[in-house]
Amino acid sequence: RKEVEQDPGPFNVPEGATVAFNCTYSNSASQSFFWYRQDCRKEPKLLMSVYSSGNEDGRFTAQLNRASQYISLLIRDSKLSDSATYLCVVTLTTGNQFYFGTGTSLTVIP
Amino acid sequence: EAQVTQNPRYLITVTGKKLTVTCSQNMNHEYMSWYRQDPGLGLRQIYYSMNVEVTDKGDVPEGYKVSRKEKRNFPLILESPSPNQTSLYFCASSFISPTGAGEQYFGPGTRLTVT
């Protein structure tokens, strides 16, 4: 069973749309949660950490639901530059071993 | 400029020929890690290191070795590469907080082909 599961998409949305991604994790002892962004053939880069109370960074909002073991990412007012693959990342209790989802592909269309 | 560097960026080699991929960071990070990325499987952690001389296995350590003799360097060694180790490899580093490793900074990747 995979530690982290994501819908691979692709999600194709028009500019200005709101899009949401979910990610489920299997281990209830998971400790830290992140969303990374990866552009084609490039290295992943941190988009945002996910905190228990939820957090927002501009057009991006991340939520954590420990009871149902999922995290979500909401992107409002999508821009062409948001086109990328979004990776859900989870660490276990020790906080030192990282598990990545396979990523969700987003294309924002003009 | 704060960065993680990897070398080489591209490598084609033959089965059984030992190789080393270097990784270096200039941010004084305690934590360093190696990942491989394969289509449909995502990034999988190979090895990680909490500090000098401290290394631990990740999810897919078989066929790989690492060492951490200096804080800034974390080389990945393939003693006898096989075709199933053909992949895109990323090195990453981060500071360690009370809850563990935090935001990871990734190197540009090394594309390895083993024939």
Side-chain angles (χ1 to χ4, degrees), chain A residues 2-3 31-32 34 36 38 41-46 49 87 89 91-102, chain B residues 31 35 37 40-43 45 48 50 57-59 88 90 96 98-104 106-109 111:
Chain A
K2 289 184 180 178
E3 292 286 344
Q31 175 162 290
S32 299
F34 308 89
Y36 278 73
Q38 185 175 25
R41 300 180 186 279
K42 299 278 195 178
E43 72 273 22
K45 293 184 179 178
L46 181 71
S49 301
L87 307 172
V89 185
T91 69
L92 296 183
T93 312
T94 60
N96 301 320
Q97 196 162 349
F98 287 76
Y99 292 91
F100 282 71
T102 52
Chain B
Y31 182 92
Y35 298 88
Q37 186 172 30
L41 296 176
L43 277 96
Q45 195 168 31
Y48 62 95
M50 300 292 289
K57 295 178 180 179
D59 220 23
L88 177 59
F90 288 104
I96 293 177
T99 56
E103 174 184 2
Q104 292 186 82
F106 283 81
R111 189 164 291 280

Side-chain angles (χ1 to χ4, degrees), chain A residues 15-76:
Chain A
E15 268 186 292
T18 296
V19 62
F21 308 135
N22 283 333
C23 162
T24 59
Y25 59 94
S26 61
N27 194 323
S28 59
S30 296
Q31 175 162 290
S32 299
F33 308 88
F34 308 89
W35 283 102
Y36 278 73
R37 171 196 168 125
Q38 185 175 25
D39 294 298
C40 188
R41 300 180 186 279
K42 299 278 195 178
E43 72 273 22
K45 293 184 179 178
L46 181 71
L47 180 66
M48 57 199 304
S49 301
V50 186
Y51 302 119
S52 296
S53 55
N55 46 301
E56 188 173 308
D57 183 2
R59 298 181 293 108
F60 300 86
T61 300
Q63 297 277 356
L64 167 63
N65 185 319
R66 283 193 181 272
S68 301
Q69 294 182 204
Y70 76 84
I71 67 174
S72 64
L73 177 68
L74 182 77
I75 305 175
R76 290 181 299 278

Side-chain angles (χ1 to χ4, degrees), chain B residues 41-91:
Chain B
L41 296 176
L43 277 96
R44 292 177 294 167
Q45 195 168 31
I46 302 171
Y47 270 96
Y48 62 95
S49 170
M50 300 292 289
N51 214 325
V52 175
E53 302 292 359
V54 180
T55 63
D56 277 296
K57 295 178 180 179
D59 220 23
V60 288
E62 296 79 19
Y64 304 95
K65 284 175 57 177
V66 292
S67 68
R68 187 94 181 271
K69 292 181 170 38
E70 304 166 283
K71 196 171 186 179
R72 64 182 293 125
N73 296 323
F74 191 44
L76 179 69
I77 303 155
L78 284 73
E79 294 269 6
S80 183
S82 62
N84 64 14
Q85 292 179 298
T86 292
S87 188
L88 177 59
Y89 291 86
F90 288 104
C91 179

